[in-house]
Amino acid sequence: MSKYLPQETFIVCSHQVNPSPGNILANPNVWKLSVVYKSEKKPLLTEADLVLKDDFECKSNWGQAVGWGFFWGGLITGLAIGAAVAFSVMTFGVGAVIIGVVATAVIGTGLTFALKSNATKCNPNLVDWKNPHPSVAFEGKKAVNLSSFMTCSVGPGILTPFIDEEEAKSAAKNVAFRNMGELGLTAVISGLFGFGVGFAAGSTGGVGSGLLAGGTEVAVGIVGAYLVYQPLAYAEGEIMQGIYSSDDKNTPYDKMLASRQEMSSPFTVDTPDDPYIGTDQTKASEQLLYHSYDKYRQNQNEKYIKEIMNLKGTRAEREARIAEIVAEMKKTKSGAQAVEAMKRKNSGKILPRVKTSNKGNRVINEHRAETNKAMRGEASKGFGGMSGVGLILPLLVTPLSEWTFKVLADSFANQSGGGVSINAAQN
């Protein structure tokens, strides 16, 4: 027997920021609701029931509000302080700081509430139920139980059902607390970035030069985030998911993660001709692009080295393939250095030996360390007001988000029970 879900079952979303659970309702437009939990006069839910009693406050929507609100607040503060430093006028300088602080509060708060008023509506974005009962159906619709969960295209989010109210409230508070922490990080990061842009523009002096300086900060900051933080965030997520996942990939966490990944856009490594990168980017952003591509080629070269070490076929076939690989590797500095390191003394040939592989990878790892250092230096130019703290903060967002998801999955897996038990013959 399974534990089926009656109407008004509690539900918790991985993206909610309000600390209370929601409730699931049956959809009267889809079926006649003839299967009813008689003791409470509530219909039992099926995969057709994608209706919430009230919408959640979604961290995706709040993230936009907080991000833009604090960015503009930081921008105006940076402009005011930068201008005060540039012109060194006492009256203007003191007034600028006060104006900047007030503007931060007014604009940040105003944008936050303005965007919150257009809160995400949950019901239109709910996708489907995962893991419905494989054989039991009510009026032709598969029944859902305590092993089922719902997906939402916003985020994307995962919504998990709870029968016990106290367990639902506890899970909702835990998830909301961590999501609010993530929004707090977003606020600080956005504010610091806005301050960096404003300070660069305000401290330069002159409208034209100020706009150019601010624009440079924006361009380098965006490209730096795209080329540095996005790959790092992707790698962080992969590492944490690997830690949290089980070997058999059959836990509630693994199933929820698989459903979330189905709706997520995969990360891809971009090449220099990507149209996202404009030709008018600053020197710093061009260097970021160069180093990013160089790092990508370093990864490729490591794969080439491993291929050389495991080549099969005749001697002629192996030598032909090695020649092709060497030609590709020599297109980058680290690749060319690795090729020379892998050559045997006197003969000048690359032979499939472990020692050769170690020498080649060592060269690439050394160059990768240099590339990472250079990338951090170029990225920091686009976050002038953020300093070291600001550069570290974005790296905390993904781990916090993945931790929140794991907390919800654990709560979903550990709930004590409840639901409605009925025999299949009654359905």
Side-chain angles (χ1 to χ4, degrees), residues 38 60 196 222 246 270 380:
K38 293 183 179 180
S60 297
I222 291 175
S246 64
D270 293 285
S380 66

Side-chain angles (χ1 to χ4, degrees), residues 256-406:
M256 289 165 59
L257 179 63
S259 296
R260 190 187 78 180
Q261 290 174 335
E262 285 178 6
M263 297 185 290
S264 300
S265 300
F267 172 77
T268 56
V269 177
D270 293 285
T271 56
D273 59 352
D274 190 316
Y276 182 92
I277 309 301
T279 57
D280 59 345
Q281 297 294 351
T282 64
K283 180 180 178 181
S285 63
E286 290 172 355
Q287 288 297 313
L288 272 172
L289 181 61
Y290 168 78
H291 289 312
S292 177
Y293 183 59
D294 197 28
K295 188 173 180 179
Y296 165 70
R297 288 307 303 264
Q298 289 165 15
N299 292 333
Q300 291 295 106
N301 289 336
E302 281 197 277
K303 294 178 182 178
Y304 285 141
I305 292 172
K306 289 181 175 63
E307 182 181 347
I308 289 175
M309 297 304 105
N310 296 282
L311 280 176
K312 307 295 182 183
T314 65
R315 179 177 178 180
E317 290 172 341
R318 294 197 305 271
E319 290 181 348
R321 179 54 185 157
I322 289 174
E324 293 176 355
I325 292 174
V326 166
E328 283 296 314
M329 291 182 66
K330 285 186 175 181
K331 292 180 180 179
T332 57
K333 175 184 174 183
S334 61
Q337 290 174 338
V339 167
E340 293 305 313
M342 289 189 296
K343 288 181 178 179
R344 293 190 68 188
K345 191 175 181 180
N346 299 324
S347 69
K349 291 183 178 181
I350 298 175
L351 296 181
R353 298 173 56 182
V354 174
K355 184 178 179 180
T356 300
S357 175
N358 292 337
K359 290 171 67 178
N361 283 327
R362 184 168 63 249
V363 170
I364 289 175
N365 289 335
E366 290 172 354
H367 193 207
R368 178 181 285 109
E370 296 174 3
T371 303
N372 289 340
K373 182 178 179 180
M375 290 175 77
R376 286 194 297 269
E378 297 297 341
S380 66
K381 296 178 182 178
F383 297 85
M386 294 179 69
S387 69
V389 174
L391 291 172
I392 293 172
L393 287 178
L395 302 181
L396 303 179
V397 174
T398 297
L400 180 55
S401 179
E402 293 295 335
W403 182 33
T404 302
F405 191 77
K406 180 62 164 59

Side-chain angles (χ1 to χ4, degrees), residues 234-256:
Y234 176 79
E236 286 178 324
E238 289 285 298
I239 291 171
M240 296 195 70
Q241 291 163 18
I243 294 173
Y244 292 146
S245 295
S246 64
D247 293 334
D248 59 7
K249 304 295 182 183
N250 198 39
T251 64
Y253 171 82
D254 293 307
K255 294 176 181 178
M256 289 165 59

